[in-house]
């Protein structure tokens, strides 16, 4: 019994400053007393004449209609006396002041001890703000006082109850804080409220067996949705060590039982055990119940039950794991100890719920502790998946790492690929909970996924804890595809906003491992501010006919995440042709046949002066680095379209990229083109074949961005815009239409 947040001001609740938070009722004088339940003072209520004392909060507090609230206050006699009882009342109003109460709810009367000790449990009420209620006041009352007698109250609380998040059960049904009325005595059981012990608050539900055998107690049904996973739980404290079954039962629209999920727990006498059951609502299910099902071996055996809950399983949208696999609240059946460790379910530490997976190193030489999923989960090829576990390590040296391995299988359960992704603890050696988020993309042909976690440099005697393992579609990923028509690659980036990072960058990685930045609209994409979760990048400078990968990094300061795409190979033209591109204007590109003997013979001229010295046989040579390569290339084009494409490419005068057939052993080269000679290949005017003599000078990769796209056509523009007005209002110039950059 507690409130999630007390809506009463601190001085009204605890009377630490003065009594201004309270208005005295009839026959009552208020004072600040030095008695206290907590703090240093309390509210004294003195009876003017024999009878009842009462006080109401001076100001109403805002409430929300339809929301559940609880209220209570602690009481004590100043002088020991018998026959006194206290209540707390909440009045609901439509306005902050004035008007009549819409309705009221009052606690059951609770007798004060015939002593000066504080009354526990205190009087408690639970009520739901009615329709139209926007404000509430709290009134406290004590009866049975003689004239001049004083009682004190302290820690007056009013607010939403500290309920289980998402619980479909009312707060009183969850904990029997007011009564046991929420539970039915169905089979072989007597149901009552008990103040003997409680998991939360002051009271719990008491189940007493009528005779030996199975017992059943359940609550009013709550609505559910077919196909959705639900979880139910209860804290159990038996009078004898025994078994306790928690049932999650499903019913149709007519209240007819359909099926159930059930878990049997071993519960120890006089100790609390949190018992959990989870299941997916079957087809036709409309309602569900949590049914408490102890097994008695004799009459008169007792079970205290508290903190009952039934609600949606707290799994993220699209979760590939069921609740027990995610949080180990029931058992460890979803996980296996792969190597170097043993595993067990424990309540010693937990991030979510009350349990986690404990990982103990076995001390096996050279074997890190590794745990993996017992059963793979289905996936969709080319979809990115993100894994976020909660990991708690024991104290140890900095720099320890967690390796998350994504094992992808095809429909025949054959391993396609295993992708290890490493997360480092960095300079920290602390023992707190960490969330090492990683992601990877399902390869083509993938049908299932299995996840394994390897804790590198596990420390013997220092258990690790794993909890709240979330496996969901999405996350940071780069998915690359070849675009054969433009001899380029298209890279789809996703999950850029996951993790709250500021910048992203994209690089191409070749066989040598070197990273080359990808050209973007303004410049290289080495530091781009994150403004959305997804984007498409086109790479027109990737080598042809060889595998490349793309390295995506997101970061803020020194903190970062990164992923590598799967390898991709851009097809190349026939081995007699080369591809010529304008890196800054990707639409300007063409292919051409290299004439026999037309491959450049490269020259690298020496830059030096040879100076003859009188009287010496050897000259003095002053030299500098050699020039870049120079050569002349001879090409052949066949059609008029080829001829037009070649001139369209050359006429800009920009630096060009030449991509040679991979069999030639030539590396791709950026060149500046000198005076070009176009000549008929055959001396007949009706033939469009042309021979091209193209002088080349090798230059550095040009700076700047890439304008437009090789795949952008008028069809693209028509698809993007409903009509001409939409087109004209989207772009500031024809350059914007050409590039697709709105506002340009």
């Amino acid at each position: 019994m507690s409130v999630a947040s007390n809506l009463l001001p601190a001085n009204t609740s605890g009377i630490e400053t003065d009594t201004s938070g309270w208005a005295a009722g009839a026959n009552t004088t208020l004072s600040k007393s030095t008695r206290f339940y907590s703090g240093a003072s309390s509210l004294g209520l003195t009876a003017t004449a024999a009878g009842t004392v009462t006080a109401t909060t001076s100001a109403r507090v805002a409430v929300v209609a339809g929301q559940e609230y609880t209220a209570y206050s602690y009481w004590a006699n100043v002088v020991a006396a018998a026959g006194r009882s206290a209540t707390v009342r909440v009045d609901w109003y439509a306005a902050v002041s004035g008007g009549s109460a819409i309705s009221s709810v009052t606690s059951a009367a609770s007798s004060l001890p015939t002593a000066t000790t504080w009354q526990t449990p205190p009087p408690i009420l639970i009520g739901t703000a009615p329709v139209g209620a926007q404000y509430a006041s709290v009134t406290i009352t004590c009866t049975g006082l003689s004239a001049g007698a004083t009682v004190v109250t302290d820690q007056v609380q009013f607010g939403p109850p500290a309920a289980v998040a998402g619980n479909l059960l009312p707060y009183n049904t969850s904990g029997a804080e007011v009564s046991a009325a929420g539970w039915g005595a169905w089979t072989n059981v007597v149901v009552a409220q008990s103040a003997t012990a409680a998991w939360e608050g002051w009271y719990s539900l008491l189940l007493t067996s009528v005779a030996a055998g199975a017992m059943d107690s359940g609550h009013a049904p709550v609505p559910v949705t077919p196909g959705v996973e639900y979880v139910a739980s209860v804290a159990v404290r038996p009078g004898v060590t025994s078994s306790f079954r928690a049932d999650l039962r499903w019913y149709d629209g007519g209240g007819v039982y359909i099926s159930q999920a059930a878990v049997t727990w071993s519960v120890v006498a006089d100790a609390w055990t949190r018992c959990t059951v989870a299941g997916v609502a079957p087809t036709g299910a409309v309602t569900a119940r949590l049914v408490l099902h102890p097994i008695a071996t004799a009459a008169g055996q007792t079970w205290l039950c508290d903190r009952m809950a039934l609600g949606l399983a707290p799994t993220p949208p699209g979760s590939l794991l069921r609740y027990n696999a995610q949080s180990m609240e029931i058992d460890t059946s979803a996980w296996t100890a792969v190597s170097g460790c043993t595993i067990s379910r424990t309540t010693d530490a937990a991030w979510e719920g009350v349990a986690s997976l404990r990982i103990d190193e076995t001390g096996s030489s050279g074997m890190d502790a590794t745990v993996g999923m017992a059963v793979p989960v289905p996936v969709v090829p080319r979809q990115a998946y993100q894994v976020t576990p909660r990991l708690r390590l024991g104290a140890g040296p900095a720099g320890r790492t967690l390796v998350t391995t994504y094992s992808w299988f095809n429909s025949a359960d054959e391993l396609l690929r295993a992708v290890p992704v490493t997360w480092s603890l960095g300079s920290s050696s602390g023992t707190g909970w960490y969330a090492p988020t990683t992601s990877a993309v399902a390869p083509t042909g993938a049908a299932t996924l299995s996840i394994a976690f390897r804790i590198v440099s596990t420390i013997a005697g220092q258990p690790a804890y794993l909890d709240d393992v979330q496996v969901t579609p999405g996350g940071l990923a780069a998915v690359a595809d070849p675009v054969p028509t433009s001899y380029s690659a298209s890279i789809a980036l996703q999950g850029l906003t996951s993790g709250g990072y500021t910048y992203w960058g994209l690089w191409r990685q070749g066989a040598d491992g070197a990273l080359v930045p990808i050209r973007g609209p303004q410049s290289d994409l080495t530091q781009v501010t994150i403004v959305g979760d997804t984007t498409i990048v086109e790479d027109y400078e990737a080598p042809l006919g060889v595998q490349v990968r793309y390295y995506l990094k997101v970061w803020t300061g020194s903190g970062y995440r990164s992923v590598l795409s799967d390898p991709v190979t851009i097809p190349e033209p026939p081995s007699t042709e080369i591809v010529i591109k304008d890196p800054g204007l990707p639409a300007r590109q063409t292919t051409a046949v290299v004439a026999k003997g037309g491959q450049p013979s490269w020259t690298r001229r020496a830059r030096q002066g040879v100076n003859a010295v009188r009287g010496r046989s050897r000259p003095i040579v002053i030299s500098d680095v050699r020039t870049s390569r120079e050569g002349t290339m001879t090409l052949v084009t066949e059609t008029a379209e080829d001829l037009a494409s070649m001139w369209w490419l050359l006429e800009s005068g920009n630096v060009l990229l030449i991509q040679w057939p991979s069999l030639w052993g030539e590396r791709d080269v950026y060149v500046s083109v000198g005076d070009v000679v176009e000549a008929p290949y055959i001396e007949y005017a009706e033939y469009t074949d042309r021979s091209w003599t193209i002088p080349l000078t090798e230059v550095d990769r040009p700076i700047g961005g890439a304008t437009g796209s090789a795949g952008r056509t008028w069809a693209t523009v028509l698809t993007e815009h409903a009509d001409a007005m939409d087109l004209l209002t989207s772009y500031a110039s024809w350059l914007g239409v050409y590039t697709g950059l709105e506002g340009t």
Side-chain angles (χ1 to χ4, degrees):
M1 176 275 306
S2 57
V3 296
S5 59
N6 191 6
L7 300 180
L8 300 180
N11 185 53
T12 304
S13 174
I15 311 93
E16 294 300 305
T17 304
D18 53 39
T19 65
S20 60
W22 295 92
N27 196 44
T28 305
T29 301
L30 301 181
S31 62
K32 179 182 175 184
S33 171
T34 55
R35 296 284 314 280
F36 57 86
Y37 181 81
S38 67
S41 59
S42 62
L43 181 67
L45 295 88
T46 303
T48 305
T52 299
V53 291
T54 184
T56 301
T57 50
S58 301
R60 299 170 187 170
V61 295
V63 295
V64 177
Q67 182 168 312
E68 199 171 36
Y69 294 88
T70 186
Y72 55 91
S73 64
Y74 296 91
W75 293 82
N77 287 309
V78 174
V79 177
R84 295 173 180 171
S85 62
T87 59
V88 59
R89 186 185 82 226
V90 172
D91 296 296
W92 311 103
Y93 294 89
V96 69
S97 62
S100 300
I102 297 173
S103 62
S104 301
V105 57
T106 304
S107 70
S110 179
S111 298
L112 274 64
T114 308
T116 58
T117 55
W118 286 92
Q119 170 202 39
T120 55
I124 306 164
L125 69 81
I126 301 171
T128 300
V131 175
Q134 297 188 56
Y135 297 91
S137 66
V138 177
T139 298
I140 51 177
T141 301
C142 187
T143 64
L145 276 69
S146 58
T150 300
V151 290
V152 291
T153 188
D154 197 6
Q155 286 304 305
V156 185
Q157 304 278 315
F158 171 68
V164 176
N167 195 357
L168 298 175
L169 304 183
Y171 184 58
N172 184 58
T173 304
S174 174
E177 288 301 300
V178 171
S179 70
W183 294 89
W186 289 2
T187 304
N188 191 35
V189 66
V190 176
V191 175
Q193 183 192 47
S194 173
T196 302
W199 175 279
E200 187 272 338
W202 287 102
Y203 295 97
S204 59
L205 182 71
L206 173 63
L207 305 180
T208 304
S209 61
V210 176
M215 304 155 58
D216 272 333
S217 177
H219 56 80
V222 296
V224 294
T225 302
V228 175
E229 187 178 25
Y230 291 83
V231 60
S233 58
V234 53
V236 179
R237 180 179 173 135
V240 294
T241 298
S242 62
S243 63
F244 183 97
R245 199 178 78 195
D247 295 352
L248 181 51
R249 299 185 184 179
W250 314 106
Y251 302 86
D252 66 15
V256 177
Y257 169 82
I258 299 176
S259 62
Q260 70 179 27
V263 178
T264 299
W265 294 81
S266 295
V267 289
V268 180
D270 301 322
W272 287 103
T273 301
R274 190 72 177 167
C275 304
T276 302
V277 58
V280 176
T283 301
V286 175
T287 61
R289 286 187 173 101
L290 165 62
V291 177
L292 311 177
H293 188 87
I295 308 298
T297 57
Q301 292 180 345
T302 60
W303 287 261
L304 294 177
C305 300
D306 200 1
R307 205 63 166 167
M308 285 72 79
L310 195 168
L312 293 171
T315 53
S319 174
L320 274 63
L321 300 185
R322 293 299 185 195
Y323 179 62
N324 185 52
Q326 174 182 307
S327 288
M328 289 64 73
E329 289 298 299
I330 299 172
D331 56 36
T332 64
S333 59
W335 296 91
T336 60
V338 177
S339 63
C341 66
T342 60
I343 60 173
S344 59
R345 176 186 179 273
T346 182
T347 56
D348 294 341
W351 173 264
E352 189 278 329
V354 299
S356 65
L357 186 73
R358 175 172 170 147
I359 305 170
D360 288 281
E361 183 188 26
T362 58
S364 303
S365 176
M367 298 184 69
D368 293 321
T370 304
V371 299
M373 291 167 47
V375 179
V377 292
V379 294
V380 177
R382 293 177 51 77
Q383 167 68 55
Y385 292 90
Q386 177 170 284
V387 175
T388 305
R390 291 289 176 170
L391 176 69
R392 180 175 177 177
L393 299 175
R400 286 176 293 170
T401 57
L402 176 75
V403 179
T404 301
T405 300
Y406 296 73
S407 296
W408 309 100
F409 299 86
N410 62 18
S411 57
D413 291 331
E414 298 168 330
L415 179 65
L416 294 177
R417 183 183 304 157
V419 180
V421 184
T422 300
W423 173 86
S424 174
L425 192 62
S427 61
S428 174
S429 58
T431 59
W433 287 96
Y434 296 89
T437 300
T438 58
S439 56
V441 177
T444 300
T448 59
L449 164 67
S450 182
I451 297 295
F453 299 108
R454 177 165 65 94
I455 304 171
V456 180
S457 301
T458 317
I459 302 171
Q462 292 276 16
Y465 300 92
L466 190 67
D467 197 7
D468 197 23
V469 181
Q470 300 185 4
V471 183
T472 56
L476 187 68
V479 182
D481 289 293
V483 185
T485 55
S486 60
Y487 301 103
S488 64
S490 175
I491 308 98
L493 310 183
Q494 60 182 268
L496 299 177
T497 57
S498 60
Y501 294 100
T502 305
Y503 303 107
W504 66 269
L506 186 67
W507 293 260
R508 182 192 327 111
Q509 184 184 70
D512 60 357
L515 296 178
V516 178
I518 305 304
R519 194 182 303 273
Q522 280 77 43
S523 60
D524 288 341
L525 302 174
T526 54
Q527 182 169 317
V528 182
T529 301
I530 296 173
V531 294
D533 192 64
T534 62
T535 192
I536 301 292
V537 175
E538 294 171 326
D539 180 16
Y540 293 96
E541 297 168 82
L544 310 181
V546 296
Q547 284 191 347
V548 295
R549 304 178 76 178
Y550 290 90
Y551 175 81
L552 170 63
K553 176 182 175 181
V554 291
W555 72 93
T556 299
S558 60
Y560 75 95
R561 279 190 62 201
S562 62
V563 294
L564 268 174
S565 75
D566 286 343
V568 61
T569 302
I570 303 171
E572 55 186 339
S575 60
T576 57
E577 295 183 13
I578 63 170
V579 179
I580 313 174
K581 301 175 178 176
D582 184 334
L585 294 168
R588 294 179 187 257
Q589 63 172 271
T590 191
T591 60
V593 175
V594 178
K596 184 177 181 180
Q599 186 176 353
S601 296
W602 296 109
T603 299
R604 296 193 66 181
R605 292 183 288 108
R607 289 188 287 187
Q608 61 185 20
V610 180
N611 302 283
V613 181
R614 185 176 180 181
R616 293 187 58 174
S617 60
R618 297 182 182 87
I620 294 175
V621 179
I622 301 175
S623 63
D624 198 354
V625 296
R626 288 185 180 273
T627 64
S628 65
R629 296 186 298 172
E630 297 176 348
T632 299
M633 177 174 61
T634 304
L635 303 177
V636 176
T637 60
E638 182 177 356
T639 67
E641 290 79 9
D642 293 340
L643 187 152
S645 294
M646 182 67 73
W647 276 124
W648 189 52
L649 174 67
L650 295 173
E651 66 186 3
S652 70
N654 294 337
V655 170
L656 302 180
L657 170 63
I658 299 178
Q659 296 184 300
W660 312 98
S662 56
L663 293 176
W664 289 19
E666 284 271 6
R667 58 180 171 84
D668 294 351
V669 61
Y670 294 94
V671 296
S672 177
V673 178
D675 297 338
V676 175
V677 177
E678 172 206 343
Y681 197 75
I682 300 175
E683 294 181 356
Y684 292 98
E686 65 267 26
Y687 288 93
T688 57
D689 303 70
R690 292 292 186 270
S691 173
W692 302 79
T693 303
I694 304 177
L696 309 174
T697 301
E698 183 179 11
V699 297
D700 289 330
R701 177 177 181 264
I703 61 173
T707 302
S709 166
R712 185 172 176 81
T713 65
W714 278 112
T716 310
V717 175
L718 291 172
T719 301
E720 292 176 347
H721 301 282
D723 51 35
M725 182 58 70
D726 182 30
L727 173 68
L728 294 174
T729 55
S730 296
Y731 304 106
S733 66
W734 285 110
L735 179 61
V737 178
Y738 177 68
T739 61
L741 300 176
E742 295 189 8
T744 303

